[in-house]
Each structure stands twice: as structure tokens, then as C-alpha cells.
Amino acid sequence: MTAFQAHRRPSRSSRHGADRDAPTGLAWAGEAAQTVPITPAVVPAAPVTPAAVAVSQPRVLRTVVPAEPWRASGVRRMIAERLAPLRLSSEQLDNAVLATDELFTNAVEHGSPDPGDTVTVTVECTAHEVCVTVTDRSPRLPRCRTAGVAEESGRGLAIVAALTDDWGTAPPHPGEVGKRVWFTLEVRGTS
């Protein structure tokens, strides 16, 4: 067994998609972008969404975000906006937003040691599954641990495991450094 763990490996489409400069206002590969201002904000509890749509072709969105803690709100907003039109229940949408936030926070705190580092967030959607992958520059693998009652951190991966159908780690793409941490959610329909 390798040092990298994967309950299931990420789909092949995670290797595709274009890098983008901003975490919001992005289009799925092959679609027109919508401009959304990037400001720190709280993700609305129940985003207003059009009727749920089925994904007929795989959709991939890949964005590169500066590894700065305050950028987490923009990443949460991007995930909520990109996944809201899909056939996800409101609980699944909330779970995707929170799990992404946990992975992004871990990547910033533990995987981005140098000023100017970036974190890549890739969202892949098919008719049956959503996969979110967060890539950072550190080769050090995340590990689950049991946090004490008084500790303020140490629960992120346990939260990801509880909220998602599957999660794991993978080596970086060829020619890149670091690691990828991913999770999947099965599309179960709207509530």
C-alpha cells in the first residue's frame, strides 16, 4: 500500500480544466462565465436557485486561489453557486460547502508554507457524482486525529468523512509538487 490513501480514486476528469484566477464568476468548461464580485461574505443559508438541472456531460471547474485564510469565504461561495443548480438536496449542498471549506482551510494552514503559495480547487460534476479536489504544495499527507474537548482544531478530516460519501488523498499530477485531497458526493436528487 502506498502512502497515499484513496477509498476510491478520483475520476479521470480531475486532470482536465483550465486554471482560473478568481474563485467566483467562473464558468464550467465550455460555458460562458457569470461575473460575481469577490468579497469576503457569508454564504447564504438557502441560495436562490433555478430549477434543478441534470448533468448530461461531465462538468469541470478548476480555480487557483491564493493561500490566504480570508479567501475561504469566496471558495465557499463559489462551491455554493456552482453546485446550486444541480440535482443535490439542500443537505448535500451544505455538506459540499462545509467539506470544501475544511479541505481549503487545511491546505492553507498546513500545505502552503510559503508566501505567495496557492491552493487549487477542482469541482467535477457528472450525472451521478460531485467530486471536489483541493491541491496544495506540501507533500505531507493529512491525518485524522482525535481532538481533545478543549482543542480548537483537529476535527476537519473527521468532519469531511462524516459529511461525504468518500474521501482520500492522491499524489500530485505529473510535473507538480504537493498532494491532492478529495471527496465525493453521490447525486441523490433534490429535497
Side-chain angles (χ1 to χ4, degrees):
M1 184 161 182
T2 66
F4 290 98
Q5 65 179 355
H7 304 283
R8 269 186 355 209
R9 51 182 197 153
S11 64
R12 293 179 338 177
S13 61
S14 66
R15 294 186 288 263
H16 303 291
D19 287 345
R20 309 290 188 174
D21 293 329
T24 56
L26 304 175
W28 296 106
E31 296 180 9
Q34 296 175 308
T35 303
V36 178
I38 302 171
T39 56
V42 176
V43 174
V48 177
T49 62
V53 296
V55 177
S56 58
Q57 296 289 327
R59 290 178 160 189
V60 178
L61 172 72
R62 185 172 182 210
T63 186
V64 176
V65 182
E68 299 168 340
W70 70 270
R71 302 270 185 175
S73 62
V75 171
R76 289 191 305 269
R77 195 168 53 254
M78 180 210 43
I79 294 295
E81 290 170 358
R82 295 292 110 192
L83 298 182
L86 303 180
R87 293 189 314 186
L88 295 173
S89 68
S90 59
E91 179 181 12
Q92 286 179 298
L93 180 58
D94 290 345
N95 290 350
V97 171
L98 182 54
T100 303
D101 185 58
E102 292 294 339
L103 294 186
F104 180 79
T105 299
N106 281 353
V108 170
E109 289 181 15
H110 306 293
S112 304
D114 299 323
D117 276 351
T118 59
V119 174
T120 302
V121 179
T122 305
V123 181
E124 301 173 72
C125 298
T126 67
H128 306 288
E129 182 177 76
V130 171
C131 180
V132 176
T133 304
V134 177
T135 306
D136 63 52
R137 295 185 45 80
S138 172
R140 190 167 157 226
L141 296 177
R143 59 183 176 87
C144 290
R145 66 183 187 94
T146 304
V149 175
E151 291 183 84
E152 293 183 12
S153 64
R155 296 171 186 83
L157 293 177
I159 290 170
V160 171
L163 296 177
T164 64
D165 294 320
D166 199 8
W167 76 277
T169 61
H173 294 297
E176 295 179 1
V177 298
K179 67 179 166 302
R180 294 178 286 159
V181 184
W182 55 268
F183 70 82
T184 60
L185 288 171
E186 181 182 331
V187 176
R188 294 185 185 109
T190 58
S191 58

